[in-house]
Amino acid sequence: MQLSGNISKMHTHLNRGVAQYQLPIGDKLLSMNDLVGEEITLSFDQTIHCQNCGKQTNKSYSQGHCYPCSQKLASCDLCIMKPETCHYHLGTCREPQWGLDNCFSPHVIYLANSSGAKVGITRKRNIPSRWIDQGAINALPILEVDTRLKSGELEMALKQFVNDKTNWRQMLKNEVTSVDLLAIRDQLLSEIGNTIESTGAQTLDNEALEINYPVVEYPSKISSLNFDKTPTITGVLKGIKAQYLILESGVLNIRKFSGYNITITY
Ligand SMILES: [Zn+2]
């Protein structure tokens, strides 16, 4: 079988505790879980299309955009990576309506274990996809607020006590030890009482969620595959974790190649 078209970040959801992946390719959605254990070939035909305007671009900016769109879209602005720098109140949001729809909506502050305990934030409606995209094996929502800015303020407060980064090599090798997220939550919430009060955050009383990944064999060393250097990538698909395909020959970060025109043979 063969499918061709522009690819983008895999769609993810949970089914009975197992992460499910669908690769958007052209106008199709390919269920990737079904291909684990199979030999696949991905070929890049050297064309990239902007995910927003569809125009061809020589290089991909902000994960799949042409340069003008990367400068124009609110979703490509720095404040999306650093929510505490939300500048909507200054009247400088790149797309005020997008800002209202996306940043003035419920946001959740969570703890997750992807390569050790970390803190993160997400729009509430992106749960649990956000956690799957990061390769978390456990996740626990701890606080909810009504704007992205407040979630950024709480994350900044929590970052004094807990990591906010994933060591992606460790995550992909599955070198992850279990941690007691509930105990860490209780400790952390007692440290940031002032910020909880000033943001009006609601504390959440959830159990930690467990996420399993469709992986038959984790790699012992990590080498990154890249369509710009290797236009044809082939081998047995050993598994999928976060937004990575784990192949015999290395790991491929699908998200990084959003907008690339690919032919997949399986
Ligand atoms: Zn564009």
Side-chain angles (χ1 to χ4, degrees):
M1 298 275 279
Q2 205 169 61
L3 284 176
S4 292
N6 287 303
I7 60 168
S8 56
K9 176 178 176 295
M10 290 182 279
H11 295 191
T12 53
H13 69 275
L14 261 190
N15 185 13
R16 295 178 189 173
V18 180
Q20 307 292 316
Y21 289 92
Q22 291 173 302
L23 176 70
I25 177 161
D27 56 4
K28 300 271 188 335
L29 275 179
L30 178 60
S31 168
M32 295 304 292
N33 292 56
D34 296 343
L35 301 182
V36 173
E38 306 285 325
E39 177 147 343
I40 62 171
T41 300
L42 300 132
S43 303
F44 171 44
D45 79 354
Q46 307 294 333
T47 56
I48 306 170
H49 288 94
C50 173
Q51 303 262 72
N52 182 56
C53 70
K55 282 190 191 136
Q56 199 169 327
T57 174
N58 290 332
K59 205 179 149 202
S60 159
Y61 298 87
S62 295
Q63 294 175 334
H65 296 87
C66 68
Y67 184 74
C69 286
S70 75
Q71 298 301 301
K72 179 180 82 187
L73 296 174
S75 61
C76 296
D77 202 348
L78 190 64
C79 49
I80 294 302
M81 298 301 289
K82 295 177 182 288
E84 70 280 8
T85 63
C86 174
H87 48 94
Y88 185 92
H89 60 284
L90 301 175
T92 52
C93 185
R94 287 179 174 185
E95 295 174 276
Q97 189 58 49
W98 188 94
L100 277 181
D101 293 343
N102 289 275
C103 303
F104 291 81
S105 63
H107 278 64
V108 162
I109 296 89
Y110 62 85
L111 297 174
N113 182 10
S114 43
S115 60
K118 62 156 273 179
V119 61
I121 68 129
T122 180
R123 263 174 265 162
K124 194 178 182 184
R125 62 172 177 258
N126 288 347
I127 289 174
S129 290
R130 176 79 178 145
W131 303 329
I132 297 173
D133 290 349
Q134 295 184 333
I137 59 167
N138 291 112
L140 177 67
I142 61 171
L143 292 161
E144 183 174 333
V145 286
D146 55 4
T147 70
R148 191 169 184 86
L149 176 59
K150 288 178 189 170
S151 74
E153 289 168 1
L154 284 156
E155 188 183 32
M156 290 302 283
L158 288 164
K159 269 161 69 167
Q160 304 172 69
F161 309 101
V162 65
N163 205 345
D164 68 325
K165 300 272 186 311
T166 295
N167 178 326
W168 64 276
R169 288 172 185 276
Q170 244 173 283
M171 179 275 290
L172 285 173
K173 287 195 251 181
N174 206 30
E175 287 174 353
V176 191
T177 45
S178 74
V179 289
D180 185 349
L181 295 179
L182 289 169
I184 297 171
R185 171 192 67 188
D186 294 345
Q187 172 66 29
L188 288 174
L189 292 183
S190 69
E191 301 276 8
I192 60 153
N194 289 343
T195 317
I196 293 174
E197 203 170 314
S198 67
T199 55
Q202 181 194 345
T203 55
L204 302 175
D205 187 22
N206 290 56
E207 292 296 315
L209 181 72
E210 186 183 321
I211 303 171
N212 296 287
Y213 293 87
V215 179
V216 290
E217 191 186 336
Y218 283 100
S220 52
K221 64 175 196 313
I222 302 291
S223 60
S224 288
L225 298 167
N226 184 331
F227 285 123
D228 298 322
K229 290 184 192 138
T230 314
T232 296
I233 291 168
T234 191
V236 173
L237 180 63
K238 297 286 190 179
I240 314 167
K241 193 175 189 188
Q243 280 285 330
Y244 288 84
L245 299 185
I246 302 169
L247 292 142
E248 281 171 308
S249 47
V251 298
L252 180 69
N253 182 0
I254 290 291
R255 187 170 201 169
K256 190 173 163 188
F257 299 104
S258 290
Y260 280 53
N261 202 70
I262 301 291
T263 295
I264 179 165
T265 311
Y266 55 98

